[in-house]
Amino acid sequence: MTGSAGHRGPPRHAVDPGFAGLAAENRWLRSRLAQRHLLDLAAGILSAQMRLPPSEAAEYLTSLAQATGLSAADVAADIVNATDGDPRSAAHALPETGGHAVAHLAERRRTRRTAAQAETADTAGEAARTLLEGGLSELGADSLWLWEHTGPGCLRLTGYAGVGAAEAVVWQWIPPAAPEPFRSVLAEGTQVWLEHGPADGVRLPGPSDDAARALLPLTRRDRTVGIALVGWPGPTALDATARRSVAGLLEVAGTVLGIADSDRPALPALVDVLASLAHPAVLLRLLHGSGAAVAVEHVNDEAAAALDCAAPADVSSLARAFPQVHTELARLARRAVATTRVQQAARLPASARDGELPPLLDVRVLPFGEEHAVVLWHTDGAPGLAAARAVARLQSVAPFQDSLTGGDTVWAPQAYGILGRDRTEAPVPLSGLREVVHEDDADALADLLATLTERQTGAQTVLRIVLPDGTVRHVRVAAEPLIAKGTVTGFAGVYQDVSDSRRTEAALTATFDHLTALHDQSEVRHQLALQLQQAIVPEVPGLQELPGGLVVAARYRPAAEEYRVGGDWYDVLELPDGKVLVAVGDIAGHGIDSVTGMVALRNAQRALAFTGHSPRRLMSWLNEVTLRTGGGTTATAVCALYDPGDHGLLWSSAGHLPMLLLRDGRARLLDPPHDILLGAVSPFAYREQRIGLRAGDTLLLYTDGLVERRHAGLDEGLALFASEVERLADHEPDRLVDELLRTATGDTDDDTSIVAVLVRDEGAAR
């Protein structure tokens, strides 16, 4: 077939069944279609001018290509470009042309190939992108608009390239009373070249008033059927050569105007979804290159009302829409797209005029593809979301909700027990706690209420509540304001009984005061280390039974060397959803700083576990906690969640030693995901693994003090540990951990923690 010589098949990766492979194959097929179109057009011209049958014209085209040493596509481009002369002489004359003429001829060939590709486009938008990327951008242009003449003086945008959807919406229709220069271009068919932008008072699409534009009539069969507008990023000199090139490229645009993309801007399905939302939403596009800006492509009606803008064009700039927080929103958008994860912020001010416009509450930034992100927010406080934020501050859950507009106060059942009230009594609003708060804490309650109502932000405090029998209970209160149209209408929050931890603190203080009074300072430090660890991470002296037939025993052994207070911790905790948290961790180093870091991580892990999220998410949060509160320290940890429903154990590890599974008398180390320590880098996405547990299985979690040896590798220590576990396989968990501590192979004198979890439920077989 004519012109087939030299054509290769689709690129090798076009056979890839994935999206990238299909996209590459599609581009190759479109290129072949455009080339086929150009060859057929040239053969048709030869057939008409030389009075040859189509088959002979095609053969003649091939012979011309062979005689001149050019590709069939280049010869076809020359023939189409020379329809006003002898096509054969144009082809034969090519080798004799001078350098400038050759360059000019090469430019005309490229223009003709681009035009052929645009003519075969499926839509006007695709044709616009082809013309811009394949030709106009070489002339410095950065945008192209194509309008179709649909009635008396009326123009409809059918294709565009290099501009955002928000700006396209503004210029979707140009009415009959169109301003100059649209009217003269449409009526008189003249070309308008504006090297320094339009005259004062004339508004045209473009980045600035002085940016160069060119308006050209689009014709079909000698009739003006539309207008094209080419834009440049700034003032640009457009000489005769540049003008001829622009006009030549746009000759074919008139033929594709009738196949518009849609009556709507890009990403129409997403725009429809945003339009259906009952709260504000904004579509952002991440620009690349110099400045790396973020543009607003679409705002829904709720966002337009919240931002007090009359039209999308009013907020096409992110900085204009959100002058006070555009930097933070741009950061969240880029992070969402880069990580393909939703980013969140509890509250952001609406603008520099914060107070006139409602703040952005419960902000979520969702990634959409490789260069778009959607920003969602509320202008009124959502009770569910506010309560979730408050719960995240605490380790246990007793939610409440107050109304300041005449509604009721609502308590969760746990709140009655925490505040020492009978279930038959009406719930007391937060402000009503003045009657039962210890007199010394009255100011703390007043400060909390002022923060919620005046500063309109969340807060927490600990109050001493005097119960009816005279006893005092320490209650932590965390709350968030509910805001409607800039006014606080109520609170959503949680109560937590922290009396036990306060008693622990008091016991620690008393222990320290007592021990420091002793004359033997060595004994003081030794006893302090021992009692400090036992107060914070108490042993489970007997067998603790938990849901799903779990039986747990845990032990802690302090460092052999005096004064070396370590950072080991462990935790076994039943969660509200019925699952069981099992965790072990080790803060790097020794001393009070390590213990402080251990307390922060253990308490944070307990609190975060109540969110119901998976171990990998909990580990990512713990990593952030370590980075922000650890003072540069690092830690290892393993976090596991056991589900009694399916007897599955889902777990994640941050550089910690592998757990050991004892099953049917055989010990096996569970190879963990090779993820980094806590506190090393931010952000980091931890992985997780799952294993099913059976009746009779015993799971062991431990720290390095149990197996590390000074003059041997860690693998040897782990092997000896596994062998010892097999020897003690018939022991109950409490005897097992005691024997393992007694016969431990580790000799680094480091502190050691170990937790044994036995699955006793005979129905657990998975």
Side-chain angles (χ1 to χ4, degrees):
M1 182 169 292
T2 303
S4 62
H7 290 310
R8 294 174 294 178
R12 188 177 302 274
H13 57 273
V15 298
D16 182 356
F19 178 81
L22 292 175
E25 184 176 7
N26 183 55
R27 289 192 297 270
W28 182 83
L29 290 173
R30 288 192 175 278
S31 175
R32 287 299 309 275
L33 179 62
Q35 185 167 316
R36 181 72 265 164
H37 173 70
L38 181 58
L39 294 174
D40 289 344
L41 184 60
I45 293 173
L46 288 176
S47 177
Q49 293 191 351
M50 301 180 66
R51 301 181 184 278
L52 295 173
S55 60
E56 292 183 16
E59 292 176 0
Y60 184 68
L61 179 61
T62 301
S63 66
L64 279 177
Q66 294 173 346
T68 59
L70 299 172
S71 69
D74 282 346
V75 173
D78 290 340
I79 292 172
V80 176
N81 285 333
T83 53
D84 58 345
D86 183 358
R88 292 171 293 178
S89 64
H92 287 304
L94 291 177
E96 301 175 3
T97 53
H100 292 291
V102 169
H104 175 66
L105 194 55
E107 173 65 21
R108 294 204 64 194
R109 288 170 180 162
R110 185 180 60 79
T111 298
R112 178 53 58 188
R113 288 195 296 270
T114 299
Q117 188 173 352
E119 283 183 303
T120 59
D122 290 335
T123 66
E126 184 183 328
R129 288 188 291 274
T130 298
L131 292 170
L132 179 62
E133 297 170 3
L136 293 174
S137 62
E138 298 292 330
L139 303 172
D142 64 354
S143 62
L144 173 62
W145 306 73
L146 302 176
W147 287 275
E148 182 183 19
H149 184 204
T150 60
C154 191
L155 295 169
R156 180 175 69 100
L157 184 65
T158 61
Y160 58 91
V163 296
E167 190 174 4
V169 170
V170 176
W171 295 96
Q172 190 75 21
W173 291 93
I174 297 178
E180 291 291 356
F182 285 103
R183 190 164 55 248
S184 61
V185 174
L186 190 61
E188 303 171 14
T190 58
Q191 299 178 359
V192 176
W193 302 89
L194 306 170
E195 296 181 337
H196 298 281
D200 292 343
V202 176
R203 186 183 176 208
L204 292 176
S208 61
D209 291 341
D210 62 351
R213 279 88 148 184
L215 289 90
L216 294 87
L218 302 179
T219 61
R220 186 188 307 141
R221 297 174 184 173
D222 298 326
R223 183 172 63 89
T224 299
V225 294
I227 291 178
L229 186 149
V230 183
W232 282 262
T236 305
L238 302 170
D239 58 19
T241 300
R243 296 185 183 192
R244 280 196 304 269
S245 297
V246 171
L249 281 165
L250 295 177
E251 284 178 356
V252 301
T255 64
V256 298
L257 287 180
I259 46 175
D261 292 350
S262 170
D263 291 340
R264 297 170 297 174
L267 303 174
L270 178 59
V271 170
D272 282 348
V273 171
L274 300 186
S276 68
L277 298 179
H279 52 80
V282 170
L283 175 63
L284 304 180
R285 181 163 66 95
L286 280 62
L287 304 177
H288 303 285
S290 178
V294 176
V296 177
E297 283 205 347
H298 178 75
V299 297
N300 67 359
D301 292 341
E302 287 72 21
L307 298 173
D308 196 23
C309 61
D314 294 339
V315 292
S316 58
S317 164
L318 185 64
R320 186 184 305 170
F322 305 95
Q324 191 165 337
V325 294
H326 65 92
T327 301
E328 176 65 8
L329 284 178
R331 184 188 69 81
L332 292 174
R334 294 194 181 283
R335 186 172 183 181
V337 170
T339 62
T340 66
R341 293 183 178 180
V342 177
Q343 305 297 311
Q344 300 185 40
R347 185 182 190 274
L348 296 174
S351 70
R353 301 174 294 151
D354 195 21
E356 297 180 30
L357 297 179
L360 281 65
L361 304 174
D362 305 308
V363 180
R364 287 156 293 159
V365 183
L366 292 71
F368 190 85
E370 297 181 354
E371 60 180 14
H372 287 88
V374 175
V375 180
L376 306 174
W377 76 92
H378 290 81
T379 53
D380 296 341
L385 294 171
R389 290 198 304 270
V391 167
R393 299 176 185 268
L394 301 178
Q395 300 177 22
S396 60
V397 180
F400 72 89
Q401 184 174 324
D402 285 355
S403 172
L404 301 182
T405 58
D408 295 331
T409 292
V410 179
W411 280 359
Q414 301 94 320
Y416 291 90
I418 291 174
L419 297 175
R421 301 184 68 86
D422 190 88
R423 293 288 183 93
T424 61
E425 298 181 72
V428 177
L430 184 59
S431 59
L433 294 183
R434 295 188 182 97
E435 301 176 2
V436 294
V437 167
H438 192 283
E439 61 181 6
D440 292 341
D441 291 346
D443 289 343
L445 176 59
D447 290 343
L448 174 64
L449 291 169
T451 300
L452 294 169
T453 56
E454 297 173 14
R455 290 193 286 276
Q456 298 188 359
T457 188
Q460 63 173 325
T461 189
V462 176
L463 303 173
R464 283 170 289 178
I465 304 295
V466 181
L467 302 183
D469 62 1
T471 60
V472 175
R473 179 168 291 165
H474 292 79
V475 177
R476 177 176 286 128
V477 185
E480 297 280 343
L482 303 178
I483 303 172
K485 298 180 180 179
T487 301
V488 177
T489 60
F491 314 128
V494 287
Y495 296 120
Q496 179 195 23
D497 182 359
V498 294
S499 302
D500 288 343
S501 63
R502 289 293 169 137
R503 283 193 291 270
T504 298
E505 292 175 10
L508 288 173
T509 301
T511 299
F512 182 81
D513 291 343
H514 170 71
L515 292 175
T516 52
L518 299 176
H519 295 291
D520 188 347
Q521 294 300 310
S522 296
E523 182 63 19
V524 169
R525 294 188 179 94
H526 178 72
Q527 292 297 323
L528 177 61
L530 197 60
Q531 296 200 23
L532 188 62
Q533 281 284 1
Q534 289 176 347
I536 298 168
V537 189
E539 289 188 355
V540 181
L543 293 176
Q544 179 183 4
E545 297 194 6
L546 293 169
L550 295 187
V551 180
V552 178
R555 299 286 188 272
Y556 170 77
R557 182 183 67 185
E561 183 180 338
E562 294 175 356
Y563 331 138
R564 295 186 67 193
V565 183
D568 281 14
W569 89 87
Y570 58 81
D571 209 352
V572 181
L573 180 67
E574 180 184 357
L575 300 176
D577 60 3
K579 296 179 181 178
V580 177
L581 169 73
V582 184
V584 163
D586 185 5
I587 291 278
H590 296 84
I592 296 300
D593 289 342
S594 293
V595 175
T596 302
M598 176 269 289
V599 173
L601 286 187
R602 182 174 185 266
N603 287 342
Q605 185 177 57
R606 280 198 153 206
L608 293 169
F610 276 84
T611 64
H613 281 279
S614 65
R616 64 183 179 85
R617 187 67 182 274
L618 298 182
M619 203 66 82
S620 295
W621 282 336
L622 279 181
N623 183 50
E624 297 298 324
V625 171
T626 308
L627 286 164
R628 286 162 173 72
T629 65
T633 190
T634 58
T636 67
V638 60
C639 173
L641 287 178
Y642 175 70
D643 187 347
D646 63 4
H647 308 287
L649 186 81
L650 193 63
W651 59 289
S652 186
S653 175
H656 200 77
L657 294 172
M659 296 187 294
L660 185 143
L661 177 64
L662 179 64
R663 173 175 291 173
D664 299 330
R666 300 297 301 274
R668 175 167 66 96
L669 295 170
L670 302 180
D671 189 29
H674 297 289
D675 288 337
I676 63 175
L677 307 174
L678 299 175
V681 298
S682 174
F684 186 81
Y686 289 86
R687 294 166 290 179
E688 61 190 13
Q689 295 181 359
R690 184 188 184 279
I691 185 173
L693 297 182
R694 305 172 184 171
D697 284 352
T698 297
L699 190 71
L700 290 165
L701 298 82
Y702 51 93
T703 56
D704 52 10
L706 192 68
V707 296
E708 280 191 343
R709 307 178 71 191
R710 290 190 179 94
H711 305 296
L714 182 59
D715 289 342
E716 182 179 342
L718 290 172
L720 290 173
F721 173 58
S723 176
E724 188 67 11
V725 170
E726 289 183 352
R727 187 182 68 83
L728 302 170
D730 60 344
H731 287 49
E732 286 292 301
D734 53 346
R735 290 187 57 208
L736 176 63
V737 294
D738 287 337
E739 283 297 308
L740 288 173
L741 281 177
R742 188 180 65 81
T743 62
T745 60
D747 61 1
T748 59
D749 296 334
D750 198 2
D751 50 347
T752 300
S753 293
I754 182 171
V755 178
V757 181
L758 168 66
V759 181
R760 183 169 282 173
D761 181 7
E762 294 299 330
R766 170 78 48 121

